[in-house]
């Protein structure tokens, strides 16, 4: 019985090692594929080739031309080669990341390892490729400022005609952000305990809840608040409540992440001590966990309110209420004086919130 | 020194047994074998001191006894009930009988001193009121009395982390008193305290044993403390029980047997 347990343990650790090797290979494969593609991209871009329109090929057209299949196969070959020949070539980046660099390689400077050169090359390739893909035009940037002077002049001479309406909507913006944050607190608080690894190890049910909550929150956070706003606008109609809901959903997801990370970092001493008194799970949470996480939770929550105020201006652009709602048409019509007023109002608010939240958070922790 | 052990007769029946451990083994998930087949019996009223180098498995043994750690194999009985075969509410009821004192005190730092003492009663207080930090007047009076007893009556309203190490450990002892346990597990209760304060804390733990009749299992490092407080000593080495005897029969040979050939028997045996 002892022996079989030992055997099982060995098999498990062997399995884990295999999985890590696969991970390392995948990372190498990805990096090498990217390298080959970027090299091809640059070669085509500088070859002076003409596209279907007869003009020089545009970056988008080059992306269509690239040989993706060949790049992956080539990269797979190279990654295998690097993995097998690691005695001569040194540890590959993927293996260094996942499995670590073996002791026998010591700590040579990066210029003495293939890995170092490879990474340096990747950085340079990325910068060059990025330059072309994003169509950076330094000369235009430096010489054509005059085209934007109208806007700048307008911003510097704010018009007072929109001041009253702006102030009213500013109040709405702040409350909108506040309500989104306030609604998010209880939901995020409860979910964060299920999203903390250290509290969800014991039973299958808890482990499943952890996976579920984590996955759900990662997804929710990945969807931009602007998209949430569009969803809720069609759900509850244009207006500040749609904005509240959009920011609420996003805040819950963001707060769960921050809260649960705090829970994972607690000192387990008090948890042990309270458990040892015969307390129930809820009591252990209340006495062993909650007192430790309250100050950081408060601090994150205020920070979140601060972020929500900023975000609610953008939410207003698409009809989610708040000051952004009257900003958008004035931008479209080029009424730069009024835009200037509104931008100044927003800037002043964000600035105040920033200082206030920093001060409060300083006090709490 | 005069010992007031409730049960010194050797052929004691199981009714005077506080702790019995059979074949207790703990292998951690990372493969570390912290305990290997420990057999041990502790009679009610004993002050058993467990010694051994750091990493020899002392904490693991104590934590298996109240199931803060689940042993891999073996069984353990607390006052005749098998704690290794218990779960849920029954396990919590058994834990309430066993108080624990930690090297790092493990108080709820942001709560008041009295609230920390009251938390010792969580095992028997109603769930909802305890979640709102509410306790009965009777319990509060009791907690205050225990604080007076450890000499901290005037600090009841202070935040726990405003107290010094020695004071915090005395609060932890008051919390243990509040729990009204029959067994106390003390894991290096004085190891992080100034040597000058060690006796002041140890005397309170001794009082749990002598005046309250609680059985105490305590890990210690200092020879003088062992000789002064222990009614019996057992030693662990690499997760095995390697010595068992009276504190007075401690000599250089057994000392090396426990702590290894390099050890020198001086005033203290810290690692
Ligand atoms: N949670 C854990 N996971 C893995 N190994 C552990 C864990 N806790 C303790 N150990 C290991 O078990 C052994 C015994 O530890 P411990 O019981 O804390 O010893 P002691 O209290 O005598 O210093 C040590 O080698 C320690 O590293
Ligand atoms: Mg220990």
């Amino acid at each position: 019985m002892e022996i079989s347990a030992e055997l099982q343990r060995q098999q498990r650790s062997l399995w884990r090692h295999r999985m890590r090797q696969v991970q390392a290979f995948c990372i190498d494969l990805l990096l090498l594929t990217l390298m080959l593609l970027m090299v091809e991209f640059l070669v085509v871009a500088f070859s002076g080739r003409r596209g279907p329109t007869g003009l020089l090929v545009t970056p988008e057209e080059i992306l269509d031309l690239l040989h993706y299949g060949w790049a992956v196969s080539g990269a797979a070959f190279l990654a295998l080669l690097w993995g097998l020949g690691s005695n001569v070539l040194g540890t590959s980046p993927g293996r260094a990341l996942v499995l670590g660099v073996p002791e026998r390689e010591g700590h040579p400077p990066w210029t003495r390892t293939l890995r170092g050169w490879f990474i340096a090359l990747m950085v340079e390739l990325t910068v060059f490729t990025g330059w072309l893909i994003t169509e950076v035009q330094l000369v235009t940037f430096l010489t054509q400022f005059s085209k934007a002077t109208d806007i700048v002049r307008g911003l510097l001479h704010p018009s007072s005609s929109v001041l009253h309406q702006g102030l009213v909507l500013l109040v709405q913006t702040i409350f909108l952000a506040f309500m989104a944050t306030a609604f998010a607190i209880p939901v995020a608080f409860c979910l964060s305990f299920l999203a903390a690894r250290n509290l969800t190890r014991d039973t299958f049910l808890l482990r499943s809840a952890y996976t579920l909550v984590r996955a759900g929150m990662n997804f929710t956070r990945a969807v931009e608040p602007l998209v949430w706003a569009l969803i809720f606008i069609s759900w509850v109609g244009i207006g500040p409540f749609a904005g509240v809901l959009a920011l609420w959903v996003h805040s819950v997801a963001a707060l769960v992440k921050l809260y649960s990370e705090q829970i994972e970092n607690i000192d387990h001493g008090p948890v042990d001590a309270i458990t040892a008194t015969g307390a129930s799970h809820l009591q252990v949470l209340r006495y062993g966990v909650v007192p430790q996480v309250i100050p950081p939770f408060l601090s994150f929550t205020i920070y979140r309110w601060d972020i929500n105020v900023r975000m609610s201006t953008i939410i207003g652009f698409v009809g989610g209420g708040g000051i952004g709602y009257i900003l958008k048409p004035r931008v479209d019509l080029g009424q730069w004086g009024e835009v200037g007023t509104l931008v100044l109002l927003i800037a002043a608010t964000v600035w105040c919130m920033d200082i206030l939240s920093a001060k409060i958070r300083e006090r709490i922790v | 020194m005069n010992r007031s052990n409730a049960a010194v007769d050797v052929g004691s029946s199981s009714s005077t047994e506080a702790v019995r451990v059979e074949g207790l083994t703990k292998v951690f998930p990372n493969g570390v074998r912290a305990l290997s087949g420990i057999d041990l019996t502790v009679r009610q009223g004993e002050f058993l001191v467990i010694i051994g180098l750091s990493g020899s498995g002392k904490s693991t043994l104590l934590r298996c006894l109240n199931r803060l750690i689940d042993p891999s194999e073996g069984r353990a009985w607390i006052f005749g009930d098998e704690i290794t075969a218990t779960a849920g509410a029954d396990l919590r009821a058994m834990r309430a009988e066993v108080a624990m004192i930690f090297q790092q005190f493990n108080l709820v730092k942001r709560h008041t001193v009295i609230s920390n003492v009251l938390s010792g009663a969580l095992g028997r207080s109603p769930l909802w009121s305890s979640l709102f930090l509410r306790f009965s007047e009777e319990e509060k009076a009791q907690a205050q009395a225990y604080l007076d007893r450890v000499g901290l009556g005037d600090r009841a309203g202070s935040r726990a982390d405003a107290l010094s190490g020695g004071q915090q450990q005395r609060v932890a002892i008051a919390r243990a008193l509040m729990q009204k346990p029959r067994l106390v597990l003390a894991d290096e209760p004085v190891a992080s305290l100034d040597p000058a304060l060690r006796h002041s804390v140890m005397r309170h733990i001794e009082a749990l044993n002598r005046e309250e009749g609680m059985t105490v299992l305590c890990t210690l490092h200092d020879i003088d403390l062992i000789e002064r407080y222990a009614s019996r000593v057992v030693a662990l080495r690499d997760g095995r029980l390697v010595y068992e005897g009276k504190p007075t029969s401690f000599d250089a040979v057994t000392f090396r047997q426990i702590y290894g050939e390099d050890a020198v028997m001086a005033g203290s045996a810290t690692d």
Side-chain angles (χ1 to χ4, degrees), chain B residues 54-55 57-60 103 187-188 219:
Chain B
S54 175
K58 305 180 297 293
S59 300
T60 307
Q103 179 179 353
D187 192 3
E188 308 198 15
T219 62

Side-chain angles (χ1 to χ4, degrees), chain B residues 56-73:
Chain B
S56 58
K58 305 180 297 293
S59 300
T60 307
L61 175 60
L62 290 185
R63 283 161 171 266
C64 282
L65 292 182
N66 63 359
R67 293 276 302 279
L68 285 184
I69 292 178
D70 286 327
S72 318
E73 277 168 49

Side-chain angles (χ1 to χ4, degrees), chain A residues 2 272 279 283 286-287 291, chain B residues 33 63 73 110 130-131:
Chain A
E2 278 262 307
D272 288 343
Q283 288 171 325
R286 178 66 188 87
Y287 286 76
Chain B
R33 178 174 281 269
R63 283 161 171 266
E73 277 168 49
R110 296 177 55 84
S130 73
L131 290 184

Side-chain angles (χ1 to χ4, degrees), chain A residues 32-33 36-37 40 65-77:
Chain A
L32 287 161
T33 308
L36 292 178
L37 286 172
E40 192 188 359
L65 291 173
L66 295 181
H67 299 90
Y68 292 95
W70 282 108
V72 175
S73 338
F77 174 71

Side-chain angles (χ1 to χ4, degrees), chain B residues 96-222:
Chain B
E97 299 260 298
V98 185
M100 194 163 212
I101 293 167
F102 302 82
Q103 179 179 353
Q104 300 303 333
F105 330 130
N106 292 350
L107 299 182
V108 181
K109 290 196 177 68
R110 296 177 55 84
H111 280 185
T112 58
V113 166
I114 188 105
S115 163
N116 269 284
V117 178
L118 283 163
S119 71
L122 283 176
R124 54 176 188 278
S125 32
L127 178 65
W128 283 108
S129 49
S130 73
L131 290 184
F132 292 99
L133 309 182
R134 285 179 191 287
F135 292 87
S136 68
E137 289 306 319
E138 210 179 317
E139 283 172 320
K140 283 186 209 160
Q142 182 78 83
Q144 182 63 46
Y146 286 139
L147 267 183
D148 291 337
R149 200 150 127 191
V150 297
L152 291 169
D154 55 334
R155 304 303 301 272
S158 309
R159 239 175 76 154
D161 56 2
L163 269 55
S164 72
Q167 290 171 329
Q168 288 195 37
Q169 194 62 298
R170 271 143 62 197
V171 175
I173 291 169
R175 174 172 68 187
L177 273 164
M178 192 71 200
Q179 195 175 330
K180 298 191 169 57
R182 297 163 72 193
L183 174 66
V184 176
L185 308 171
D187 192 3
E188 308 198 15
V190 294
S192 44
L193 299 182
D194 207 78
L197 297 174
R198 292 183 176 170
H199 277 292
S200 80
V201 165
M202 283 309 295
R203 267 198 291 273
H204 287 294
I205 295 179
E206 185 183 40
L208 298 179
N209 179 243
R210 293 251 193 117
E211 290 161 26
E212 304 290 325
M214 298 172 189
T215 309
V216 175
L217 270 66
C218 178
T219 62
L220 282 177
H221 279 306
D222 308 67

